[in-house]
Amino acid sequence: HVSVEEYRLNLSKIIFELRDLMKVNPVVPVLITPPPIQQELVNRAATSRGDTEGPTRTNENTSIYARACMDVGKRMRTPCIDMFTAMSDCAGDQEGLKRLLIDGLHLSDEGNRFVAETIFNQLRAKIGILPDETVKRWFPPWIQVNAEE
């Protein structure tokens, strides 16, 4: 992973690049914070891999990156969706996160639905649009992709 300072810088660079694209295409950058993790499942996965150094991913550390993301959004006047807080509130506690995260890190079906609904609702609330109204498809729908090509 990268340091918090480098993370902030990288997010800023991405926003500047997207704003540069706005000269050609209508692009609205939107930041999304990292979601929380389910510590027990992450620790279990680390142990099963033989990781003896202890967990490198913790909610405490993730919350620092989430706050940094929110700070960059505020500083650069860019909408930011606080997925860390939204998922934490939805789950209620570490036990509740088990239904949203398959292995403590990656989203379950319910977690994917929650994230999609949160993004959809926040896009409408923060910038007044729905994704399908403005998003140009850069790639064909997955059903049209030929895996052989």
Side-chain angles (χ1 to χ4, degrees):
H1 73 279
V2 298
S3 70
V4 176
E5 290 71 30
E6 189 173 349
Y7 177 69
R8 286 177 193 270
L9 182 62
N10 289 343
L11 289 176
S12 298
K13 286 179 183 178
I14 291 168
I15 292 168
F16 282 125
E17 289 290 325
L18 290 172
R19 286 184 177 161
D20 223 20
L21 287 175
M22 290 174 74
K23 297 171 187 167
V24 180
N25 294 310
V27 176
V28 178
V30 178
L31 297 175
I32 302 173
T33 69
I37 64 168
Q38 205 294 327
Q39 197 68 60
E40 177 188 341
L41 295 176
V42 167
N43 291 352
R44 191 179 305 154
T47 301
S48 72
R49 287 191 311 269
D51 185 354
T52 57
E53 293 182 25
T56 56
R57 293 189 170 131
T58 65
N59 266 326
E60 181 180 345
N61 196 44
T62 303
S63 71
I64 293 168
Y65 283 79
R67 281 192 304 276
C69 183
M70 296 292 290
D71 292 345
V72 169
K74 185 175 182 178
R75 182 173 44 82
M76 297 193 72
R77 296 186 178 134
T78 300
C80 186
I81 299 171
D82 186 359
M83 198 59 66
F84 185 90
T85 300
M87 280 186 75
S88 296
D89 290 350
C90 175
D93 59 15
Q94 279 287 298
E95 194 61 32
L97 282 171
K98 287 181 179 178
R99 67 187 197 330
L100 300 174
L101 302 165
I102 294 173
D103 57 1
L105 183 63
H106 300 98
L107 299 169
S108 66
D109 287 344
E110 185 178 348
N112 276 303
R113 276 190 297 280
F114 175 80
V115 167
E117 288 172 8
T118 301
I119 291 171
F120 182 83
N121 292 333
Q122 290 292 312
L123 284 177
R124 180 184 287 157
K126 290 181 183 285
I127 56 179
I129 60 168
L130 302 178
D132 286 344
E133 294 173 355
T134 60
V135 174
K136 172 185 164 191
R137 286 198 181 262
W138 292 20
F139 301 101
W142 69 270
I143 197 76
Q144 295 176 359
V145 175
N146 182 346
E148 303 293 317
E149 294 179 2

